[in-house]
Amino acid sequence: MLVLGIETSCDETGIALYDTEKGLIGHTLHSQVDLHEAYGGVVPELASRDHIRLIVPLLENLLSKTKTPKDRIDAIAYTQGPGLSGALLVGSAMAEALAFSLEIPTIPIHHLEGHLLAPLMEKNPPAFPFLALLVSGGHTQIIHVKKVGVYEIIGDTLDDAAGEAFDKTAQLLGLGYPGGLALSLLAEKGHHHFDLPRPLLHSGDLNFSFSGLKTAVLNLVRAQTLLTDHIKADIACSFQLAITEVLTKKCLMALDQTHLTSLVVSGGVGANKQLRQSLQENLSQKNYSVFFPRLEFCTDNGAMIAFAGAMRLDNSLKHDLSFKVKPRWQLA
Ligand code: KG4
Ligand code: ZN
């Protein structure tokens, strides 16, 4: 079965084709980062307009690149939520209209489920059940994944998400938006010179809180008489170490508590090199395994939506000419 996947929940237009027998056939992505950078964050109206501008050319490009006639597509998966309403409506309308014209079903997908299952597209994926660390711009969750569609959130952030903390810290250091990658590159040039808080490290539960860490960075920045490149690199390094330590410790705790042995890491912050290293080192010491998606599938993309659709073909809906998006939608 060939599934077309469409992702438009935020600032990336992603389209992909996933074959249940052959795997990923192809994918294409347009990032709107340049469009929103000047505003220091995503402007919803601009995001929707850009999705509208590019969704058809991107789809046509992917179909011609992969030599796939439209009538070979068996089902269309699309991100129904959570995300920006206007942006979600572009992908949903496109998916539903195309499915209607081709007389094929649609599969509405939860964006976070896409992230969660993305590592399973790689070779030698873990078997269910497993633990997942979902670290994106909007979420920091530890999830007990029992099987496709059965998710228990056992740890969550009380305030800022990990990606948000990276982005806000990056902004304080003048690194632009979104700053996660830039901050991690700067951190490589610095040293662990500043002692920053490890929020909730010893709370005994699996929850996170990163707003205090961001405030500590703000105070640190303000305390510098001269914020040299050298000091910025040291702050970036110290911040990254603090956040990595908390994420690693809580994942280890969650594995111990649930008696699960595999951890899957997904979401944009899952691309972070130091986090990957720290999880790999610390988990292997306790004979736990860790699985990551390839870097390009950590951040938003269409492939994870096409793949989630392929895993959920049983849930496909026959078209009834009505559809809705779910800008707020709990994963559990
Ligand atoms: O999953 P994602 O693409 O979008 C959401 O669904 O939120 O995640 C985006 C987040 C941003 O906060 C970005 O700064 C962060 O992931 N990010 C990183 C890295 N690459 C992306 N954070 C730390 N290190 C990275 N290498
Ligand atoms: Zn995402």
Side-chain angles (χ1 to χ4, degrees), residues 46-329:
L46 295 183
S48 316
R49 288 188 215 169
D50 206 58
H51 286 307
I52 290 176
R53 191 172 69 86
L54 285 172
I55 194 162
V56 173
L58 282 172
L59 172 65
E60 286 183 336
N61 179 274
L62 178 67
L63 293 175
S64 86
K65 204 172 68 182
T66 58
K67 300 189 173 58
T68 309
K70 278 193 203 76
D71 57 13
R72 271 213 43 227
I73 302 169
D74 295 301
I76 305 180
Y78 65 92
T79 306
Q80 191 182 29
L84 304 169
S85 313
L88 288 166
L89 276 167
V90 178
S92 310
M94 174 74 193
E96 293 289 351
L98 188 57
F100 178 70
S101 71
L102 295 173
E103 296 182 30
I104 56 174
T106 53
I107 315 163
I109 296 292
H110 193 294
H111 179 78
L112 296 182
E113 181 174 60
H115 276 303
L116 200 66
L117 300 177
L120 308 192
M121 274 190 281
E122 305 303 330
K123 285 199 185 103
N124 305 318
F128 293 100
F130 54 79
L131 202 71
L133 172 68
L134 186 62
V135 269
S136 69
H139 292 84
T140 307
Q141 293 179 329
I142 299 181
I143 302 163
H144 184 159
V145 179
K146 295 174 184 176
K147 58 180 185 174
V148 173
V150 184
Y151 310 119
E152 186 189 352
I153 295 161
I154 58 174
D156 209 340
T157 179
L158 305 179
D159 41 56
D160 291 358
E164 205 177 342
F166 266 98
D167 292 341
K168 286 177 176 170
T169 301
Q171 211 160 18
L172 288 173
L173 299 177
L175 299 176
Y177 178 89
L181 177 61
L183 188 139
S184 73
L185 294 174
L186 182 64
E188 283 177 17
K189 297 182 193 150
H191 298 94
H192 177 211
H193 188 73
F194 300 105
D195 241 342
L196 289 168
R198 269 80 172 138
L200 301 189
L201 187 63
H202 302 293
S203 64
D205 60 25
L206 299 171
N207 291 328
F208 303 94
S209 162
F210 293 121
S211 74
L213 181 56
K214 171 200 64 194
T215 309
V217 174
L218 175 67
N219 292 337
L220 192 57
V221 166
R222 282 186 178 152
Q224 307 305 313
T225 34
L226 199 61
L227 193 62
T228 62
D229 287 347
H230 185 89
I231 293 176
K232 281 188 193 174
D234 285 351
I235 295 176
C237 174
S238 309
F239 165 83
Q240 187 174 250
L241 192 73
I243 211 158
T244 300
E245 249 182 64
V246 176
L247 291 171
T248 305
K249 167 92 189 298
K250 297 269 171 163
C251 285
L252 280 170
M253 266 177 70
L255 287 162
D256 290 344
Q257 279 178 21
T258 54
H259 305 292
L260 295 169
T261 54
S262 302
L263 176 78
V264 150
V265 182
S266 51
V269 182
N272 187 270
K273 207 161 132 188
Q274 196 186 9
L275 177 65
R276 286 179 169 233
Q277 262 168 16
S278 165
L279 286 170
Q280 232 139 18
E281 278 166 26
N282 287 280
L283 266 62
S284 69
Q285 279 173 18
K286 296 191 80 175
N287 283 330
Y288 293 137
S289 314
V290 59
F291 300 82
F292 302 97
R294 71 196 82 164
L295 287 181
E296 61 185 322
F297 295 158
C298 282
T299 43
D300 292 350
N301 64 87
M304 67 183 194
I305 301 304
F307 178 69
M311 304 277 272
R312 275 187 172 273
L313 273 169
D314 294 347
N315 284 31
S316 59
L317 302 172
K318 276 213 78 175
H319 205 278
D320 67 354
L321 269 186
S322 70
F323 67 94
K324 60 178 184 206
V325 294
K326 299 181 180 171
R328 290 169 185 275
W329 186 9

